[in-house]
Amino acid sequence: MADTRTMLVDEPGKREQAKAERRSRIVQAARDLIRETGDTNLSMRMIARRADVSLATPYNLFGSKHAVVLAVFEDERDFAERFGRLKADNAIDRLFDAHALATSYFTEDPDFYRPLWKALLDVQGANDTGLATPERLARNSRAWEALIHDAQDDGLLDPAFPADMLERTLSFFANGVMLSWSMGTLATDRLLPSAALGYALALRGAATAKGMTILAKRIHELQGILEGSDTHKTDAGSECARAGKG
């Protein structure tokens, strides 16, 4: 005879496992649809059909279409774990490493992340898929302010410049670059160096002499990358022109 105590323990566990499995299928379905359609304004019916669940299930597990899209964005990322494994020589390099790691998600899967960033930059959320919630913005700001504080504590950035002001400056610049990329006016291979150069130039204004040395080297390297990219495009354009004449 089965032990009823074991049954009582196992049954809730099975229900939670089944719920987690359905949640995972819904998130994967939304992720696939975003990649295929280039749009985050998905219908719950479309998501449920792709996930092979009833229409009520996404509402029961997430509450709204906005929550499903937000879950796609969150579940795709393991940033905190990967960032914890980064080894930087100094706090400024750590800041740029964090930016490079974050950007790598977008450059490795641009078809998926472009529409997500359009939704992320939609602070009004008029179509119920805006991702720039006050909680998300505050969490991101705190994380970047902590990196700036570390650089100030290490004597690389002048503490006379408020960390929150520097963070907002970096955020405004990054959002502009991401907007250009999400709208297709900035090539994916220029996304990282373009934003990083803006970060370096902004931070240079708040750098100590020690920090200036690190930033000057980084600025030089980033300029070389971007100039090389420009040269490559010019050479490619010349080749096309010559081919056309031929």
Side-chain angles (χ1 to χ4, degrees):
M1 181 177 177
D3 188 334
T4 56
R5 291 172 299 178
T6 301
M7 293 173 63
L8 289 173
V9 170
D10 288 349
E11 197 60 33
K14 290 179 180 178
R15 284 199 299 269
E16 289 303 314
Q17 184 177 354
K19 184 186 295 185
E21 192 271 336
R22 289 194 298 273
R23 184 186 186 282
S24 177
R25 279 162 48 197
I26 291 167
V27 169
Q28 185 61 53
R31 183 176 298 143
D32 292 342
L33 287 167
I34 289 171
R35 186 179 287 109
E36 292 169 13
T37 65
D39 190 4
T40 59
N41 192 20
L42 308 171
S43 73
M44 281 294 223
R45 188 175 300 279
M46 186 186 304
I47 296 171
R49 186 182 301 118
R50 174 62 70 92
D52 195 24
V53 297
S54 70
L55 180 58
T57 301
Y59 287 104
N60 291 337
L61 293 179
F62 293 91
S64 69
K65 178 174 60 180
H66 175 274
V68 173
V69 176
L70 191 60
V72 168
F73 193 79
E74 295 287 1
D75 285 3
E76 184 71 8
R77 308 178 66 116
D78 57 348
F79 178 83
E81 180 181 341
R82 290 177 64 185
F83 178 69
R85 297 197 296 265
L86 292 177
K87 303 298 181 184
D89 292 334
N90 57 72
I92 285 182
D93 284 346
R94 191 177 307 122
L95 191 152
F96 281 95
D97 284 351
H99 171 255
L101 176 58
T103 305
S104 70
Y105 290 90
F106 316 136
T107 57
E108 289 169 5
D109 195 357
D111 291 339
F112 174 70
Y113 278 104
R114 267 202 182 97
L116 275 180
W117 261 91
K118 289 179 184 178
L120 183 66
L121 294 170
D122 176 14
V123 295
Q124 299 301 319
N127 63 1
D128 195 35
T129 56
L131 302 180
T133 62
E135 295 80 12
R136 171 183 290 279
L137 294 174
R139 185 172 66 247
N140 288 346
S141 294
R142 287 194 299 270
W144 285 100
E145 281 183 36
L147 291 169
I148 292 170
H149 277 302
D150 288 344
Q152 290 176 331
D153 292 342
D154 286 357
L156 302 175
L157 296 177
D158 189 344
F161 292 86
D164 60 341
M165 185 181 298
L166 285 176
E167 185 280 323
R168 283 196 300 272
T169 300
L170 298 183
S171 177
F172 292 150
F173 188 88
N175 285 344
V177 173
M178 292 304 297
L179 177 61
S180 296
W181 174 73
S182 65
M183 299 303 293
T185 58
L186 179 66
T188 297
D189 64 347
R190 294 175 64 83
L191 175 59
L192 173 59
S194 295
L197 180 59
Y199 277 27
L201 293 173
L203 291 172
R204 186 171 64 175
T208 63
K210 183 179 176 182
M212 190 77 74
T213 301
I214 298 170
L215 288 167
K217 179 180 178 182
R218 188 171 290 272
I219 289 170
H220 178 73
E221 292 173 348
L222 292 167
Q223 283 179 315
I225 292 171
L226 290 170
E227 288 169 359
S229 178
D230 286 338
T231 301
H232 174 74
K233 288 186 176 182
T234 300
D235 290 344
S238 299
E239 288 294 334
C240 290
R242 285 194 291 271
K245 288 179 181 178

